[in-house]
Amino acid sequence: MARKKTPRSGAGKQRYASQGASRGHRNPAPRRAASETSISPNRRNGFAGGERPYDYSAYESEPATREYMARLFAGHAFPVTDEQLGKFWQYYDLLRLRNAELDLTRIMGIEATVLKHFIDSAMILQWFDPVGPVLDIGSGPGFPGVPLAIMRPDVPFLLAESRGKRVRFLEEVVKKLRLKNVALFPKSVREDSPLGDDFDQPVGDVVTRALETIPPTLERILPFIPDGRQAVFMKGPGCDDEVAEAQARFPNIYELAVDVQYTLPNTDQGRRLVSFKKCARR
């Protein structure tokens, strides 16, 4: 089958290298062996780049199906209900559908997405019992807020994201997945345009993944995070300096509540969950 070119404009434009990639099936054209291509090790491990960055089938060991997704979750010993699986599948399908147009994520393929986005986001519930509304600062295409909301439909989530294209994507996700426990806050949370006293949304806990270092976020949320609630940071292993700086800058304001090192299931990829609790006012 000839590959369809992506038009530069027009309402009916295709968003992928092939319809097979967009629908979760292998590209019917034969692939060269990895050694004969320019695909880097990172690309083979699920990161986009190089000459075919949005052809998902180039990153998948077998065609992406709901049944295959179920086996991936089971293979990582991460239990999901049939209803949750259905929502994760819809979410993955939307990521595939919109990624080429909106540049949502560099992580490609169903294997890497399930592990590095879905499980990576949701497994923090082992150490974090959220109190809503949970504010996800810098949610991007919905991480970690959407996987957390799928796993905990009893908890309200507020996804803060300022980039218009990603806000529109999140609106589509919320609608298609029927996430009644998710609302959006389409404003910037960058260091040069912080949330502050004008943030009038009710908040319980705060969670963020790969936004910035810990101290600026603690500073930003200070006006509106309630006493006794947590700011939860999804970090890499090497954040000792951030934790120490936060403790030095905010004595008697925040206290370290959780600091746990862990790895993604069946991998050697290290992660660290750090949580600061706001102290009660005296």
Side-chain angles (χ1 to χ4, degrees), residues 20 22 25 49 97 101 105 111 114 123 135 154 159 163 185 188 192 204 211 224 256 268 275 282:
S22 70
H25 303 292
L97 182 65
E101 174 190 4
T105 175
E111 297 95 343
V114 167
M123 71 179 296
L135 174 64
D154 57 313
L159 311 187
R163 289 163 287 186
F185 185 76
S188 175
D192 59 349
L211 175 66
F224 56 81
L256 185 62
D268 59 358
S275 169
R282 299 178 180 178

Side-chain angles (χ1 to χ4, degrees), residues 105-174:
T105 175
R106 295 184 305 123
I107 291 177
M108 293 292 188
I110 191 169
E111 297 95 343
T113 301
V114 167
L115 178 64
K116 298 179 181 181
H117 277 329
F118 298 167
I119 293 177
D120 184 39
S121 294
M123 71 179 296
I124 69 171
L125 293 170
Q126 296 177 68
W127 306 282
F128 170 47
D129 186 15
V131 173
V134 177
L135 174 64
D136 176 11
I137 296 183
S139 191
F143 305 118
V146 171
L148 291 173
I150 291 172
M151 298 301 295
R152 289 295 303 270
D154 57 313
V155 176
F157 287 83
L158 180 62
L159 311 187
E161 174 56 46
S162 65
R163 289 163 287 186
K165 289 183 178 181
R166 296 192 176 192
V167 171
R168 291 193 293 275
F169 174 73
L170 289 174
E171 289 172 342
E172 184 176 14
V173 169
V174 170

Side-chain angles (χ1 to χ4, degrees), residues 79-122:
V80 293
T81 67
D82 189 63
E83 181 178 0
Q84 290 165 342
L85 177 66
K87 291 185 185 299
F88 278 120
W89 174 249
Q90 287 180 299
Y91 190 21
Y92 178 66
D93 196 45
L94 285 172
L95 285 167
R96 294 177 72 107
L97 182 65
R98 303 298 184 210
N99 199 16
E101 174 190 4
L102 303 178
D103 191 25
L104 300 169
T105 175
R106 295 184 305 123
I107 291 177
M108 293 292 188
I110 191 169
E111 297 95 343
T113 301
V114 167
L115 178 64
K116 298 179 181 181
H117 277 329
F118 298 167
I119 293 177
D120 184 39
S121 294

Side-chain angles (χ1 to χ4, degrees), residues 193-205:
S193 181
L195 295 172
D197 293 324
D198 62 338
F199 183 76
D200 58 1
Q201 304 292 316
V203 169
D205 293 322

Side-chain angles (χ1 to χ4, degrees), residues 235-248:
K235 308 293 292 186
C239 62
D240 289 337
D241 291 344
E242 296 179 40
V243 174
E245 182 184 349
Q247 290 177 305

